[in-house]
Amino acid sequence: MILTLALLAGLVAAWLLIGVVEKFRLGLRFTQALLYVPFKLAYRIADGRINIARNAAAPVIYVISHQSRLEPALMLSLLPEDTLHILDQASAKSPWLEPWRELGRTIAFNAEHIFVSRRLVRVLKGKGRLAVYLPDAVEPDIKTFRLFRAVTRIAMQADARIVPIFVAGARTLPVSLTPADKAPRRWFPRLSISVLEPMTIAELVARNPDQSSNTNALFDRFAEARLFGSDLNRGLFLAMRDAADRVGASHPIVEDVVSGTLNYRKLFIGARVLGRRFEAVTAPGEAVGVLLPNANGVVLSLIGLLSASRVAAMINYTAGRASVTAAVRTAEVRTVVSSRAFIDKANLADIVAAVEEGGAKLLWLEDVRASVTVLDKLAAALLWRWPLQPQNAAKPAVILFTSGSEGTPKAVVLSHRNLLVNAMQAEARITISPADILLNVLPVFHSFGLTGGTILPLVTGVKLFLYPSPLHYKLIPEVARKARPTLMFGTDTFLANYARTAKDGDFFSLRFIVAGAEAVKPETRRVYRERFQAEIIEGFGLTEASPVVAVNTAIHGRDGTVGRLLPAMRMKLEPVEGISGAGRLWLDGPNLMMGYMTSDRPGELQPLNGWHDTGDIVSVDREGFITIRGRAKRFAKIAGEMVSLGAVEMLVQSLWPEEHHAVVAVPDRRRGERIVLVTTADEAEPDELRKFGRQAGAADLMVPNDIVRVEEIPVLGSGKTDYVATRKLAIERLGLSAAA
C-alpha cells in the first residue's frame, strides 16, 4: 500500500513538474499545461511552432483542420484562454472533453446557420480570437466550402488575421474521423503541429494576385498548413520508411506483371541489397544511370541508390542513340544499372551502345542478383529500416532529362526536397489513401511517371501497380480489369488509345484519372465519363517543377483548364506582344529544380536563381484556374499576327475528333511563317476546314492551307507529340528542306 501510494505520489509530482516546465516553455496557464502534459508525453508532440499562434496579434482566426476528436482538446490546452472555440456538436457534448472545455470559451456549431457572422465579427473587432474547426477534406464538397466562404467573410469584415493549424499524424489516431481503411490506426503516433504565420485575406490574395479569389486564397493557405505538416527535410528514403511505419511494413506497396507483389519490408530489404552493390562500384553523390522499364526492379534500384546517397539519372531509352549518349555525357554518368532481359526483349542493343559511347559501363541486375549471398540477405533483413548513407534532403536525388519536344533535351537536377515537396503538394490537393491502387503506365524516366506515378504512392502508402509500356493499347485495359486500380496516370494520347480497345468493364474500378503532358481532348473526357464513369482530372507540369504545377480535382475542377496552382507556389504573368488576355508564365516555389546541367559544362550544376521562365503562355480566371494557351515556341507569327498552334489543333480536333492531329509552323518567304496540319484523317481537306473555321468564328489566319496526311503522328516516349519530328516531316513532304 505504501509503495503504491509512493508511486502515485511520484507520478503526480512528475506530472506537476512537467506541467510547470510546459507552462513556462509555452506561456500557458498552469491548468492548461497540466491538461496538455498527457498528450505531450503520449504523442511526443512537436509543438515548437505553436507560439506563432499564441503570439498572433488580435483580431485573429485560428483555422484548424479537424481530423480527429483530439484537436479540440489540444487547441483548448494550447491556444490563448480568451479564444472562442466553435465546436462541432459531438465535441460540444462529449463527457471526456469536459475538463478541456473549461479551459476556454466554447460554443456549439450550428450547421443550419453556418456561422452567426455579426456576433463573431463583434467578438473579433473587440480584439478577440476565434478558433474554427474545418473538416479534414483535401477536396471539400460544396457544403464544406461554404465554411471557407463564411470564415473569409468574417475575417474581411473584422480585418482579422488568419492562422492555419494542422496536427500531422492525427488522422491515424484511434479517435480519427477518417475511416480506418483510408487511415490505418496507431495507438501512439508521433504528432507534429504545423502553424503558419498570421496573414490577412488581403495579404493572402496579394501573394498570387493573378490567380486568387478571396475564398480560394484562404483554401490555398489551409492546404499549405497540411503540406508543411510533413517533415519535408527527411529525404526520400526516410519519407518512404515513415510511410511504412504508418501503414505497416507488411502493407503491399509495389506490384508488376512479372515479379508479383512486394510489401514495404521486402522492398526495403531488396533495395538495401542492391544499394550495397551500388556502393561498391560508385562514389557518394555520383550520378548513376537507370535504364529500366516500369517494373519492381526500377523501384528497388531507385531506393537502393537513394539509400546509398547516389543520384539516379533516369535514362530515356526511347529518345534515340544521340540523345542517350548526350545525356550520359552531360550528367557525367560512369555506371548505368540495367537488365539484360529487358534489353533483349525491348531490342535496345543500340541504346546500350549509345551508353558505352557516352563513357559509361553497364551494371547488370542479373549479375548483381547472382552475387548476393545468404549473409547479404540476412544483414539486409535486420537493417532494412536504416539507410546505407546519411540522408540530406538538400542534396540531388534524381537527374531527369526534358522531353525535347521542341529542341535539345536538358538535364534537370532535382533534390530530395524538390521531389518530396511536389509529392506532398499533390497529396494536399487530391484525395488519396492507402486504400487506393495506382496503375502507372508512364515511364519512370518521365517526370510525371516518376514523381506522381512512383514517389507519391511510396510516400503515402498507396499501392503501386507498374506496367512496362504505355504503348500496349490492347493489353493495358485487360491489366486494369485484373488489377482493379482506383487511380491512373496517363496522357491524352495514351488514354484515347486505351478507350478504343477497352471493353466497357475494363476500367470499372477507377475513381479518377490524372492526365498531364498534353491537353485532354473533349472527346477523350466524354468517353471515359460515359463508358467507364471515370473522371479525368487534368493537370499541368514541367520537369523543372518536379513536375506538377497545377491540377484540377474531382470537385474543384473546370474542363478545358489545367486546374489551380499547387500550395506554396507563386506565379506571375509577363505580357507578350501580340497576345491579349494571357501572359508568359513564371514560377517560384519549393518544388522548383536545383538547376540544369548542360552539354557544354558536363557534371556542373548551374543553379536556378529566383523565378523560372516556363515558356508557356497561359490565362488565369478569377478563381485561379489556369488555361494553357500554348508554348511560346508554339505560336506562329503570320504577317505580324501571333497565332496559337495549340488553338488551331483544338479547332481541327473539333472537326475530326476521332483522328490525331499536330499543327506546326514552317517558313514562308512572303508572310514569315505558315501553318501546316499534319493529320491521320484521310478525308481532311482545306476547303472543309476553312468552312468549319468560319462557322466556329476562327480568324482566317488560324486555318491551315497545307495538309499533310500520315498514318501516325510522331510521339515521344512520354506520350507527347514529337513536334520536332513532325515539323521535319512536314517540311520534307512540302519540299521546303532548303527553306528550313
Side-chain angles (χ1 to χ4, degrees):
M1 184 69 179
I2 295 175
L3 180 59
T4 302
L5 290 173
L7 285 172
L8 288 173
L11 288 173
V12 170
W15 187 2
L16 292 172
L17 180 60
I18 297 171
V20 170
V21 171
E22 293 303 306
K23 168 182 165 58
F24 288 103
R25 186 175 70 88
L26 298 175
L28 307 176
R29 283 169 42 217
F30 189 56
T31 50
Q32 282 184 302
L34 284 179
L35 288 176
Y36 174 58
V37 167
F39 299 137
K40 177 68 175 180
L41 296 179
Y43 303 114
R44 293 95 66 209
I45 299 174
D47 54 16
R49 294 186 64 84
I50 196 64
N51 278 327
I52 294 174
R54 291 188 57 81
N55 297 332
V60 62
I61 302 176
Y62 304 111
V63 185
I64 302 150
S65 180
H66 197 188
Q67 306 168 79
S68 73
R69 294 297 175 201
L70 193 67
E71 278 93 355
L74 265 181
M75 293 303 111
L76 283 161
S77 299
L78 291 170
L79 294 178
E81 60 186 301
D82 59 346
T83 303
L84 175 62
H85 296 254
I86 303 179
L87 302 180
D88 63 288
Q89 295 291 337
S91 297
K93 296 176 181 178
S94 178
W96 79 269
L97 270 176
E98 183 59 33
W100 284 271
R101 284 197 296 267
E102 294 297 320
L103 296 175
R105 302 158 59 208
T106 65
I107 58 173
F109 168 66
N110 186 332
E112 297 301 319
H113 299 95
I114 303 296
F115 295 115
V116 184
S117 299
R118 292 180 182 176
R119 176 186 170 187
L120 297 180
V121 169
R122 285 198 300 271
V123 168
L124 289 168
K125 282 188 173 179
K127 298 298 181 183
R129 300 172 184 272
L130 186 64
V132 179
Y133 297 81
L134 297 183
D136 176 42
V138 171
E139 301 177 56
D141 56 24
I142 294 173
K143 184 176 180 180
T144 301
F145 207 69
R146 287 172 63 199
L147 299 177
F148 283 94
R149 290 197 181 95
V151 172
T152 302
R153 184 171 61 249
I154 293 167
M156 293 181 68
Q157 290 177 2
D159 196 26
R161 294 172 179 81
I162 298 288
V163 176
I165 300 176
F166 181 85
V167 183
R171 293 183 83 232
T172 61
L173 288 166
V175 290
S176 173
L177 300 175
T178 304
D181 63 327
K182 296 181 179 179
R185 301 299 195 248
R186 298 172 65 198
W187 280 103
F188 299 106
R190 183 177 176 85
L191 303 182
S192 176
I193 301 177
S194 170
V195 183
L196 300 186
E197 300 290 339
M199 295 182 76
T200 64
I201 296 295
E203 289 170 336
L204 292 177
V205 171
R207 297 189 310 158
N208 262 320
D210 288 314
Q211 73 102 31
S212 283
S213 66
N214 295 330
T215 302
N216 278 325
L218 172 61
F219 177 63
D220 292 342
R221 186 64 166 171
F222 193 59
E224 284 182 38
R226 182 188 187 96
L227 168 65
F228 292 115
S230 305
D231 187 347
L232 302 174
N233 295 309
R234 295 280 284 162
L236 286 172
F237 178 93
L238 296 176
M240 293 172 189
R241 192 201 65 192
D242 291 345
D245 291 340
R246 285 195 304 274
V247 302
S250 60
H251 177 74
I253 190 63
V254 181
E255 183 178 357
D256 67 17
V257 292
V258 176
S259 307
T261 305
L262 295 175
N263 61 28
Y264 267 116
R265 183 183 291 104
K266 290 181 180 178
L267 181 68
F268 278 103
I269 289 172
R272 187 177 180 90
V273 169
L274 288 181
R276 277 293 185 200
R277 292 301 183 272
F278 300 154
E279 276 189 318
V281 295
T282 61
E286 181 179 335
V288 178
V290 177
L291 177 54
L292 291 167
N294 279 22
N296 292 352
V298 76
V299 179
L300 289 163
S301 299
L302 175 64
I303 298 176
L305 290 169
L306 295 172
S307 175
S309 292
R310 272 58 175 177
V311 182
M314 313 305 291
I315 305 297
N316 180 352
Y317 46 82
T318 69
R321 285 193 60 163
S323 292
V324 170
T325 299
V328 169
R329 288 174 176 166
T330 299
E332 290 194 334
V333 174
R334 296 289 172 259
T335 303
V336 174
V337 179
S338 191
S339 160
R340 289 193 183 93
F342 167 58
I343 296 299
D344 292 342
K345 191 168 184 178
N347 194 25
L348 294 176
D350 60 330
I351 298 301
V352 171
V355 166
E356 293 172 338
E357 186 179 339
K361 296 184 296 184
L362 274 296
L363 177 62
W364 302 107
L365 287 181
E366 290 87 349
D367 295 343
V368 171
R369 291 191 185 105
S371 69
V372 175
T373 66
V374 174
L375 188 61
D376 293 331
K377 294 178 181 178
L378 179 60
L382 292 173
L383 302 171
W384 66 268
R385 299 189 77 260
W386 288 274
L388 293 166
Q389 295 286 332
Q391 302 292 291
N392 186 339
K395 295 281 187 166
V398 168
I399 296 174
L400 293 172
F401 301 90
T402 57
S403 64
S405 57
E406 292 150 8
T408 305
K410 292 173 283 190
V412 175
V413 183
L414 301 170
S415 70
H416 290 256
R417 193 171 192 272
N418 290 151
L419 292 161
L420 181 57
V421 164
N422 198 232
M424 301 319 292
Q425 284 172 316
E427 195 261 352
R429 271 280 189 265
I430 300 174
T431 304
I432 58 174
S433 78
D436 283 309
I437 300 173
L438 188 152
L439 173 59
N440 181 26
V441 301
L442 296 179
V444 290
F445 60 70
H446 181 250
S447 56
F448 193 24
L450 176 68
T451 302
T454 307
I455 291 173
L456 175 62
L458 291 174
V459 299
T460 57
V462 172
K463 183 182 176 183
L464 171 62
F465 193 104
L466 290 162
Y467 191 80
S469 172
L471 301 176
H472 296 171
Y473 299 141
K474 293 182 179 180
L475 294 177
I476 286 171
E478 296 176 12
V479 170
R481 179 188 286 266
K482 294 175 183 176
R484 298 186 177 185
T486 56
L487 315 174
M488 183 175 171
F489 286 179
T491 68
D492 180 83
T493 299
F494 294 151
L495 294 173
N497 281 308
Y498 304 152
R500 287 191 180 95
T501 63
K503 299 180 179 66
D504 287 346
D506 286 346
F507 294 115
F508 75 100
S509 59
L510 288 173
R511 290 199 296 119
F512 59 82
I513 301 162
V514 182
E518 59 180 344
V520 176
K521 299 178 181 67
E523 177 66 11
T524 309
R525 197 186 303 278
R526 183 192 65 78
V527 167
Y528 276 85
R529 278 177 178 163
E530 294 179 3
R531 285 190 61 196
F532 310 120
Q533 290 75 54
E535 192 71 24
I536 296 178
I537 58 174
E538 192 171 354
F540 160 64
L542 52 149
T543 306
E544 293 86 348
S546 304
V548 188
V549 170
V551 69
N552 281 290
T553 72
I555 294 171
H556 292 276
R558 202 160 286 177
D559 287 0
T561 76
V562 294
R564 301 180 62 252
L565 208 62
L566 291 184
M569 293 197 73
R570 293 189 300 152
M571 72 176 181
K572 62 182 180 182
L573 302 184
E574 181 182 87
V576 178
E577 184 182 355
I579 301 175
S580 60
R584 190 176 182 116
L585 178 65
W586 290 70
L587 294 171
D588 186 30
N591 53 314
L592 268 292
M593 64 176 178
M594 298 180 72
Y596 287 120
M597 288 180 183
T598 54
S599 56
D600 59 330
R601 293 156 68 181
E604 181 182 338
L605 176 66
Q606 300 167 38
L608 172 68
N609 294 312
W611 292 81
H612 173 68
D613 176 11
T614 67
D616 290 291
I617 308 298
V618 309
S619 59
V620 187
D621 68 17
R622 68 177 302 275
E623 296 296 321
F625 287 92
I626 301 170
T627 300
I628 306 295
R629 299 276 290 271
R631 295 282 296 166
K633 293 179 181 178
R634 294 276 297 145
F635 276 78
K637 195 166 189 178
I638 302 173
E641 296 290 327
M642 299 294 287
V643 177
S644 168
L645 302 181
V648 179
E649 279 185 7
M650 292 179 67
L651 175 70
V652 176
Q653 196 70 44
S654 299
L655 178 58
W656 297 298
E658 299 295 327
E659 302 295 337
H660 291 164
H661 317 280
V663 175
V664 296
V666 300
D668 184 273
R669 287 190 177 90
R670 187 169 60 89
R671 308 177 83 186
E673 288 183 298
R674 74 176 189 261
I675 298 174
V676 178
L677 168 63
V678 181
T679 178
T680 60
D682 292 333
E683 73 276 17
E685 293 294 340
D687 290 343
E688 187 178 359
L689 185 54
R690 273 194 293 273
K691 180 181 177 182
F692 182 80
R694 291 192 190 101
Q695 291 173 348
D700 289 341
L701 286 174
M702 286 183 63
V703 181
N705 290 312
D706 297 296
I707 297 179
V708 174
R709 298 169 189 84
V710 295
E711 289 188 8
E712 287 187 352
I713 302 291
V715 176
L716 296 162
S718 62
K720 292 181 180 180
T721 299
D722 186 343
Y723 287 109
V724 173
T726 303
R727 182 175 182 272
K728 182 178 179 183
L729 176 66
I731 287 173
E732 289 173 354
R733 291 282 189 93
L734 295 172
L736 299 173
S737 298

